[in-house]
Amino acid sequence: MTVEEVRAEQLRVSKQLEESRTLKTREAREADQNRKKRKYRFGLIRIRLPGALLLQGTFGAQETVGALYEFVQSCLHDEESLFELRLHPSRQVLDNPEQSLESAGLLPSSIVNFSSLVEGAAVLKPVLLSSQQTL
């Protein structure tokens, strides 16, 4: 670490310590958190599929987890197949279709794991497989 980095870290830690010593109401703490929270209009979500494939989509901040499921469903070879989406790395299942992507913690970008509940099925549509790009 350089001297400047150490000074910046020391300043950040001293500000945190000063804020923690100040008595605040719950409303004041929540207002501070909301001020610090960045507002995003769009988010980039990558879905990790079997076979080292990534499916990528851009979603609005107020779109729901259900819209994410519909997007993935529309890209599958068998649109009737059952699957679930899990947060990476916590492996928590995204199971509330009405929850916004923002409140689910998927913005500004995230990786979601795809887990098929049916074994042995082809994952993506052939059209999508033919247009894949190497990252």
Side-chain angles (χ1 to χ4, degrees), residues 71-85:
F71 169 72
V72 173
Q73 190 81 41
S74 70
C75 296
L76 295 179
H77 184 279
D78 178 13
E79 292 190 15
E80 301 300 319
S81 65
L82 300 174
F83 66 94
E84 60 186 13
L85 299 175

Side-chain angles (χ1 to χ4, degrees), residues 8-100:
E9 182 65 21
Q10 182 181 8
L11 181 62
R12 186 187 65 77
V13 169
S14 64
K15 283 183 180 180
Q16 276 184 334
L17 183 62
E18 185 177 319
E19 285 180 11
S20 68
R21 288 183 180 168
T22 307
L23 293 176
K24 296 181 182 179
T25 64
R26 181 175 22 142
E27 291 82 15
R29 284 192 304 271
E30 289 173 357
D32 285 345
Q33 288 176 346
N34 287 337
R35 265 195 303 274
K36 290 178 185 177
K37 191 186 255 188
R38 293 179 107 186
K39 299 293 181 191
Y40 297 99
R41 295 183 348 183
F42 298 98
L44 180 86
I45 299 178
R46 291 182 173 155
I47 297 94
R48 185 180 293 161
L49 301 165
L53 294 173
L54 283 176
L55 180 63
Q56 179 174 297
T58 303
F59 297 88
Q62 295 307 314
E63 287 192 63
T64 62
V65 171
L68 178 62
Y69 270 88
E70 289 172 11
F71 169 72
V72 173
Q73 190 81 41
S74 70
C75 296
L76 295 179
H77 184 279
D78 178 13
E79 292 190 15
E80 301 300 319
S81 65
L82 300 174
F83 66 94
E84 60 186 13
L85 299 175
R86 296 176 175 266
L87 291 174
H88 178 78
S90 70
R91 302 226 179 244
Q92 176 188 356
V93 176
L94 294 169
D95 55 1
N96 183 358
E98 284 81 36
Q99 185 179 23
S100 72

Side-chain angles (χ1 to χ4, degrees), residues 85-132:
L85 299 175
R86 296 176 175 266
L87 291 174
H88 178 78
S90 70
R91 302 226 179 244
Q92 176 188 356
V93 176
L94 294 169
D95 55 1
N96 183 358
E98 284 81 36
Q99 185 179 23
S100 72
L101 297 176
E102 184 176 26
S103 65
L106 297 174
L107 298 183
S109 66
S110 60
I111 296 176
V112 176
N113 292 325
F114 173 90
S115 177
S116 177
L117 301 176
V118 178
E119 292 298 320
V123 179
L124 287 179
K125 290 181 178 178
V127 174
L128 293 174
L129 287 173
S130 66
S131 65
Q132 69 182 353

